[in-house]
Amino acid sequence: MQKTNINVDFGNILKKTRETRKMTQEEFAEFCNVSRAYYGRLERGENSITLDLCNKISQALGISIAALFEDLP
């Protein structure tokens, strides 16, 4: 069984969401009210996301927090 990294998996979800909206990392970070550098680290799976930031992102996108996690393996 292959071990997965949940931070990388979640970062891929964020990247897919951003690309679907045709936004740059900078635009999406500003949209979610976080720094571009921090958002980039989240997208690459280098940092763990907080529930507070999940809430900010879901509110900015107009979706539930649970929807952010639907595609996690």
Side-chain angles (χ1 to χ4, degrees):
M1 180 179 279
Q2 183 179 359
K3 183 179 174 185
T4 62
N5 182 323
I6 195 164
N7 290 333
V8 171
D9 292 338
F10 190 74
N12 289 331
I13 290 171
L14 289 176
K15 183 176 182 177
K16 180 178 153 187
T17 301
R18 174 180 61 78
E19 289 176 341
T20 298
R21 293 179 180 270
K22 300 186 185 324
M23 299 174 87
T24 65
Q25 278 189 348
E26 187 170 350
E27 291 167 336
F28 196 75
E30 187 174 318
F31 183 68
C32 297
N33 198 29
V34 296
S35 77
R36 195 227 36 93
Y38 180 66
Y39 175 77
R41 289 191 301 273
L42 289 173
E43 202 172 271
R44 291 187 301 277
E46 296 171 359
N47 285 87
S48 296
I49 195 163
T50 64
L51 288 175
D52 184 50
L53 185 51
C54 285
N55 188 48
K56 282 182 181 181
I57 291 171
S58 67
Q59 286 179 346
L61 296 173
I63 61 174
S64 69
I65 290 176
L68 289 174
F69 298 93
E70 286 177 351
D71 293 332
L72 280 178

